[in-house]
Amino acid sequence: MRRIPLLAAVLLALPLRAQDRTAEVDRIFAFATAESPGCAVGASQRGRTLVSRGYGLADLGKRTPIGERARFDIGSTQKQFTAAAILLLVEDGRLALADDVRKHLPELPDYGRPVTIDHLLTHTAGIRDWTGLLPMAPEGTDVLALVLRQRGLTAPPGEAWSYSSSGFELAKAIVARASGTSFAEFARKRLFAPLGMTATAYVPDVLQAGPDAALGYQKDGAAWTPYMRLGANRGGGAIVSTVGDLLRWQDALADGKLGASVTAKLHEPARLRNGRTLSYARGLIVESNRGRRMVWHSGGAAGFSTLMARFPEHALSVVVACNFDPVSATALGARVADLFLPPPGEQPARAAVGGVDVGPRAGLYLDERTGEPLRLAVNGGRLGVANGPPLVPTSATEFRPPRPDLSFRSQDDFTLTFADADRFEIRSMEGEVTRYRRARPWTPAAAELAALDGRYESPELGSVFHVVAGDGRITLRSERDAARAVELEPLERDAFIRSLMTVRFRRDAGGKVVGFDYGNPLVRGIAFTRLGDRAAGATAAAPAPDASNA
């Protein structure tokens, strides 16, 4: 009998292996029914399709099932396409990563330090994220115009990692300026068409994606209601694509079809000014998880959730795209990948000491220098940072993260040490110290609240908000839309909070309230100036949940 070479035998076995896994993939997505929205999933190995399945409906009204032609708003996974477009223009000699953004967009404010194109692609520019600005801006505000009005940064360029879709809006505008055509046309000609991604396009929003568009939904009681970012709320536009096209893109990255230098730069880790290396590259995250090297990015846009992941050592690509909220395409994709990968290794755990009472450590703390809030919470007997990593006790007073977290303190392997019950300090891996103190309770008198009542304007947002004094609290309400309002509780003197949204009032030398600074987990330092009293008879509106989640 003629022997089949080992590699050929493996390749011949792949379709059978995929067939063996189909039932297991089906079980992962069994939550999607013929009456609900759902997901599309695809996996390929060395360019050979292992699985391509659809579950649920793309359009509930038309009862269109999710099939291979379903086109999803892929959310922030589009960032790798934007980065690739910039890198192609670098190869063309039309721009350089080290260029000051103002060379191409002179209307961007001068921040005192150059913001480079590379800062935009690596989320180290400090440009405020538009998703944290738009809920406070007038309805219909153009996102690019909003970004260009911002006079402040979240951090000096190059000094911190802070996720910012705004930076990528600026990058798309630079592509259009440097190429002399629209970003949509450049992406079609230089990215999608050459790679055979015929179902992929850059569009204003998913409703412009044609008859194969998958619409986004969220659960409202027992019913599903449409839930999508559309028009001005979409933030400059969306890339819509199919799972098959996204696998084709993954294979193109693996094979270097965009060119060696473009591929290398897409995967090159970012580095902060202090020398710290990050897992974020340019529109992609490159990291090792449980012994597996993984190149990936997730995306979320209202009712859409997407994962694009590649495991280079195993030549495996996985894509999951869903059209309902809440769901994590990332978690689903990890389960699919596990079906086709060898068992993962053990994740090294940081040694923890036992018997530490973490209950008294929980609470709201403030940065002693900036006043920024940080909340520590106990979950399952474990202390952790709200909206951040869990913490491992390494002594009775010292805590460390299990591993550095990109989204918290720029992937810092920090040490948190309590000085006493109400104070702690965070020491960065480079030795920089930030001190926190527990927030001091404050019960404002009616006269103190009345002094805050008035009309306030932010030129950066293009908005006027009313501060309405209430019973022990204030309401922040849009002048244009009374339904856009949120109640804030006292934090400390002249400061109020809702979740981690903060309003901190400013006074002049004589003690008169002259404005306030607004911040939320995505942006901070938005200055409002007091215009005067509210109109007679103005009343507080009911709180709007969307405002509190800015």
Side-chain angles (χ1 to χ4, degrees):
M1 180 183 294
R2 185 169 60 91
R3 289 183 177 274
I4 300 175
L6 178 60
L7 177 60
V10 170
L11 293 176
L12 287 172
L14 283 176
L16 178 60
R17 187 168 186 243
Q19 183 67 34
D20 291 343
R21 297 293 188 271
T22 299
E24 295 165 84
V25 174
D26 289 346
R27 282 194 289 272
I28 292 173
F29 294 89
F31 56 81
T33 71
E35 305 297 326
S36 75
C39 304
V41 57
S44 66
Q45 195 166 36
R46 299 180 182 88
R48 187 184 293 258
T49 299
L50 300 177
V51 65
S52 179
R53 306 281 283 173
Y55 306 88
L57 297 177
D59 185 327
L60 298 186
K62 297 178 181 178
R63 298 190 59 78
T64 308
I66 292 175
E68 292 186 353
R69 297 174 60 183
R71 304 172 83 189
F72 295 81
D73 179 337
I74 67 170
S76 285
T77 59
Q78 68 169 280
K79 288 179 168 62
Q80 58 198 279
F81 297 99
T82 304
I86 287 284
L87 292 169
L88 287 173
L89 287 168
V90 170
E91 280 209 329
D92 293 346
R94 298 190 185 188
L95 49 81
L97 290 178
D99 282 351
D100 187 333
V101 172
R102 299 183 75 244
K103 175 180 178 180
H104 305 277
L105 299 174
E107 59 268 47
L108 186 73
D110 184 350
Y111 295 115
R113 290 188 188 180
V115 174
T116 69
I117 293 174
D118 206 31
H119 287 145
L120 302 181
L121 301 187
T122 57
H123 296 294
T124 59
I127 301 291
R128 291 168 175 160
D129 190 352
W130 68 260
T131 62
L133 298 169
L134 202 60
M136 297 289 288
E139 189 71 29
T141 294
D142 177 77
V143 163
L144 183 58
L146 177 63
V147 173
L148 292 171
R149 285 203 301 266
Q150 301 308 301
R151 311 302 301 182
L153 299 172
T154 59
E159 292 192 3
W161 190 90
S162 180
Y163 192 85
S164 174
S165 292
S166 297
F168 278 79
E169 290 307 311
L170 296 176
K172 286 186 282 191
I174 290 171
V175 169
R177 296 272 178 97
S179 68
T181 187
S182 68
F183 178 81
E185 185 63 10
F186 184 89
R188 185 186 69 81
K189 286 185 175 180
R190 298 291 300 276
L191 295 174
F192 307 145
L195 298 179
M197 299 172 64
T198 57
T200 305
Y202 182 73
V203 295
D205 59 54
V206 73
L207 294 185
Q208 311 299 314
D212 295 318
L215 306 184
Y217 298 91
Q218 67 178 346
K219 202 65 177 289
D220 183 11
W224 292 100
T225 58
Y227 184 41
M228 294 168 278
R229 285 191 179 275
L230 302 174
N233 286 323
R234 183 59 191 84
I239 285 181
V240 293
S241 190
T242 64
V243 162
D245 267 13
L246 297 180
L247 286 175
R248 193 168 289 112
W249 170 261
Q250 301 267 65
D251 292 339
L253 290 185
D255 296 339
K257 290 183 178 179
L258 297 176
S261 65
V262 172
T263 300
K265 280 294 182 183
L266 279 174
H267 295 84
E268 181 183 75
R271 187 182 295 270
L272 298 182
R273 190 184 300 275
N274 65 8
R276 187 187 305 170
T277 299
L278 307 177
S279 59
Y280 204 92
R282 292 171 180 84
L284 289 169
I285 299 172
V286 183
E287 63 182 354
S288 179
N289 186 6
R290 297 186 298 170
R292 297 167 173 170
R293 184 166 177 263
M294 181 176 173
V295 180
W296 69 285
H297 209 288
S298 61
F304 296 95
S305 179
T306 307
L307 171 73
M308 295 171 63
R310 186 160 45 88
F311 301 84
E313 281 76 13
H314 304 281
L316 177 73
S317 295
V318 174
V319 174
V320 175
C322 303
N323 67 328
F324 67 98
D325 179 74
V327 66
S328 171
T330 300
L332 293 169
R335 294 174 63 188
V336 172
D338 281 343
L339 298 178
F340 299 100
L341 292 172
E346 290 293 326
Q347 186 73 35
R350 192 182 296 279
V353 302
V356 178
D357 182 9
V358 296
R361 308 294 193 191
L364 183 65
Y365 296 81
L366 303 177
D367 184 320
E368 289 186 351
R369 184 177 61 85
T370 67
E372 290 297 312
L374 186 149
R375 191 183 300 276
L376 298 181
V378 176
N379 185 11
R382 191 175 188 180
L383 189 66
V385 179
N387 296 329
L391 298 172
V392 176
T394 53
S395 76
T397 58
E398 183 180 279
F399 296 79
R400 303 281 301 276
R403 66 175 188 164
D405 186 317
L406 179 64
S407 297
F408 184 74
R409 297 181 61 86
S410 306
Q411 208 165 334
D412 184 10
D413 194 12
F414 63 90
T415 303
L416 186 154
T417 306
F418 281 88
D420 55 40
D422 297 321
R423 293 179 301 140
F424 65 80
E425 68 177 30
I426 292 180
R427 183 177 295 271
S428 76
M429 56 197 293
E430 294 83 19
E432 182 180 350
V433 174
T434 306
R435 293 183 172 86
Y436 289 83
R437 60 169 173 81
R438 193 181 293 272
R440 304 182 183 98
W442 174 54
T443 304
E448 290 177 302
L449 291 174
L452 310 176
D453 199 288
R455 298 175 66 239
Y456 297 79
E457 180 183 33
S458 169
E460 292 178 292
L461 296 173
S463 297
V464 175
F465 273 79
H466 292 182
V467 171
V468 184
D471 183 14
R473 60 181 63 86
I474 63 169
T475 297
L476 193 64
R477 185 189 68 203
S478 168
E479 184 168 270
R480 294 191 183 187
D481 182 0
R484 298 175 68 188
V486 58
E487 285 187 354
L488 295 100
E489 303 289 336
L491 172 59
E492 59 179 0
R493 180 170 174 78
D494 285 347
F496 295 79
I497 193 167
R498 169 72 178 270
S499 185
L500 290 178
M501 173 196 287
T502 57
V503 168
R504 191 175 292 274
F505 288 88
R506 302 189 307 272
R507 295 177 183 266
D508 63 15
K512 182 180 178 181
V513 176
V514 295
F516 66 80
D517 294 322
Y518 168 86
N520 63 47
L522 298 177
V523 299
R524 59 177 179 266
I526 310 295
F528 281 76
T529 301
R530 193 174 193 275
L531 300 177
D533 296 335
R534 292 186 298 117
T539 57
D546 284 348
S548 66
N549 291 328

